[in-house]
C-alpha cells in the first residue's frame, strides 16, 4: 500500500527522472505497471524487485508475481474461510482458480465456481471447485440458482472478481452476520456501489484487496517457499508455453478462453 509502489504502477516512467528507460528506433516505449516484462531485458525501480530462493525455477514461480498471489491471498489473507466453510468464486480465470486453491487449502467443504465460459469448469475441478453455475444457462439471477439456495444456512465467504456483476448484488449475497464478500480486480470506471445502512446493521461484511494483501518484497519470497516445500502446486496453473516471438498467440488464447496462464519464453 506504500506510495512508492502504488504510484509507480500507473506512472509509466521511472520515478527518479520521470522518463522511460525504453525506446525503439528513437520512439519512446512506456513502462507497464512498473515492470515492463514483455521484453528480453527490463529496468525496474528497486521497489518492484523481490529477492527469492535462487533454487526456485523462474518458469514456474513467475506466476506468483500477480494473478496467483492475488487470488490465493484474497482467500487466505482477506476472506479467511474456516474449515468446512462454503466459498463461491465468481470468475474462473487465473485469479479465480487461485482463490479456489486457497479455499481448498483453508479446508472449505464446498467451492461453487461461477463463470460465463463453461469450458473452464472441467479445469476448475483441479483447484477444488465442487459445483458450477453458468449465469447464461439461467433466466433468473445467479443467486437464485439451486447451488446457492441450499447453502445460506452455513455460508461463510464469497469471493468476487467479475465486478461487472453489480456490487449491490455482491453485498446482498453475503449472508448477514457471517457472509464476507471480497472484491478483487479493477472495476469499470462508471461502476458505483450503493446500499441501505440497514444492511450494515445486519452485520454484512464487504472487503477489498490489492495483490491479495501480500507485501510484495517481504511476503512474495514466503509464497515461493510454499511452492518449494510442495505446499502449493504451480504447474497446474500453466496452460501454454509460448515463445516471445509468438507472444500474440498468448493473447489469442486468452481472448478465446482457451489459455488462462502462459509461459512466455525469450527466444534462443
Amino acid at each position: 500500500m506504500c506510495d512508492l509502489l502504488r504510484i509507480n504502477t500507473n506512472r509509466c516512467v521511472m520515478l527518479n527522472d520521470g522518463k522511460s528507460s525504453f525506446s525503439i528506433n528513437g520512439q519512446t516505449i512506456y513502462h507497464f505497471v512498473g515492470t515492463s516484462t514483455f521484453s528480453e531485458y527490463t529496468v525496474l525501480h528497486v521497489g518492484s524487485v523481490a529477492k527469492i530462493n535462487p533454487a526456485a525455477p523462474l518458469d514456474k514461480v513467475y506466476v506468483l508475481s500477480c494473478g496467483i498471489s492475488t487470488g490465493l491471498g484474497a482467500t487466505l489473507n482477506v476472506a479467511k474461510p474456516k474449515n468446512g466453510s462454503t466459498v463461491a468464486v465468481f470468475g474462473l480465470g487465473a485469479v479465480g482458480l487461485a482463490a479456489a486453491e486457497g479455499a481448498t487449502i483453508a479446508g472449505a467443504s464446498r467451492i461453487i465456481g461461477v463463470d460465463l465460459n463453461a469450458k473452464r469448469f472441467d479445469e476448475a475441478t483441479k483447484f477444488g471447485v465442487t459445483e458450477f453455475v453458468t449465469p447464461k444457462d439461467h433466466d433468473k439471477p445467479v443467486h437464485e440458482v439451486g447451488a446457492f439456495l441450499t447453502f445460506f444456512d452455513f455460508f461463510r465467504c464469497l469471493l468476487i472478481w467479475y465486478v461487472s456483476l453489480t456490487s449491490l448484488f455482491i453485498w446482498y449475497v453475503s449472508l448477514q452476520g457471517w457472509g464476507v464478500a471480497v472484491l478483487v480486480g479493477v472495476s469499470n470506471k462508471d461502476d458505483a456501489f450503493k446500499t441501505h445502512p440497514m444492511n450494515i446493521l445486519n452485520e454484512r461484511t464487504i472487503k477489498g484487496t490489492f495483490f491479495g494483501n501480500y507485501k510484495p518484497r517481504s511476503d512474495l519470497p514466503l509464497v515461493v517457499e510454499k511452492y518449494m516445500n510442495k505446499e502449493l502446486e504451480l504447474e497446474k496453473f500453466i496452460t501454454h508455453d509460448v515463445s516471445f516471438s509468438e507472444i500474440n498467440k498468448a493473447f489469442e488464447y486468452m481472448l478465446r478462453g482457451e489459455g488462462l496462464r502462459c509461459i512466455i519464453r525469450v527466444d534462443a
Side-chain angles (χ1 to χ4, degrees):
M1 300 300 291
C2 67
D3 288 342
L4 171 65
L5 289 176
R6 185 59 62 91
I7 292 175
N8 198 34
T9 298
N10 301 318
R11 187 179 292 269
C12 301
V13 293
M14 297 300 290
L15 287 176
N16 63 326
D17 59 6
K19 298 179 181 179
S20 169
S21 296
F22 303 110
S23 66
I24 183 170
N25 298 326
Q27 181 180 358
T28 297
I29 298 176
Y30 290 96
H31 294 255
F32 180 70
V33 293
T35 56
S36 301
T37 50
F38 288 164
S39 57
E40 293 186 52
Y41 300 93
T42 189
V43 180
L44 302 173
H45 190 280
V46 65
S48 299
V49 180
K51 184 177 181 179
I52 63 171
N53 188 332
L58 294 181
D59 64 344
K60 301 294 188 302
V61 299
Y62 83 97
V63 296
L64 293 172
S65 63
C66 185
I68 309 307
S69 296
T70 297
L72 194 70
T75 307
L76 298 178
N77 299 335
V78 185
K80 300 179 181 179
K82 298 179 181 178
N83 186 56
S85 297
T86 293
V87 175
V89 179
F90 286 70
L92 298 177
V95 177
L97 294 178
E101 182 81 357
T104 300
I105 294 173
S109 60
R110 296 178 69 190
I111 303 175
I112 303 172
V114 183
D115 199 289
L116 297 174
N117 185 355
K119 294 179 181 178
R120 293 180 173 177
F121 292 167
D122 288 340
E123 184 182 17
T125 59
K126 303 175 185 176
F127 301 86
V129 175
T130 58
E131 301 164 58
F132 305 101
V133 176
T134 306
K136 292 191 297 186
D137 291 345
H138 304 279
D139 296 327
K140 51 189 175 183
V142 68
H143 62 284
E144 295 181 9
V145 176
F148 286 90
L149 292 177
T150 59
F151 72 72
F152 280 102
D153 287 341
F154 54 94
F155 186 59
R156 291 296 180 272
C157 169
L158 176 63
L159 299 172
I160 308 287
W161 337 115
Y162 266 35
V163 192
S164 56
L165 298 171
T166 66
S167 297
L168 185 62
F169 158 72
I170 300 168
W171 185 273
Y172 280 112
V173 166
S174 298
L175 179 66
Q176 59 187 27
W178 295 291
V180 177
V182 179
L183 300 181
V184 182
V186 179
S187 60
N188 186 288
K189 65 182 180 64
D190 296 323
D191 283 348
F193 177 78
K194 180 180 179 181
T195 190
H196 193 280
M198 184 58 71
N199 291 319
I200 300 176
L201 293 178
N202 284 338
E203 301 184 32
R204 287 181 170 91
T205 300
I206 187 168
K207 296 182 176 183
T209 180
F210 189 84
F211 195 58
N213 280 30
Y214 285 120
K215 295 180 180 179
R217 297 189 67 185
S218 56
D219 292 346
L220 195 55
L222 301 178
V223 182
V224 170
E225 288 307 309
K226 285 183 177 293
Y227 168 72
M228 298 298 287
N229 295 331
K230 302 188 184 304
E231 300 171 25
L232 178 64
E233 184 182 349
L234 296 181
E235 284 77 7
K236 63 184 179 182
F237 283 99
I238 301 169
T239 57
H240 293 76
D241 183 346
V242 182
S243 66
F244 189 76
S245 61
E246 297 180 312
I247 190 172
N248 286 337
K249 283 188 177 181
F251 288 102
E252 292 173 7
Y253 292 144
M254 180 181 66
L255 292 172
R256 293 201 302 261
E258 297 175 4
L260 304 178
R261 303 151 303 280
C262 298
I263 293 176
I264 307 299
R265 287 181 292 102
V266 174
D267 301 306

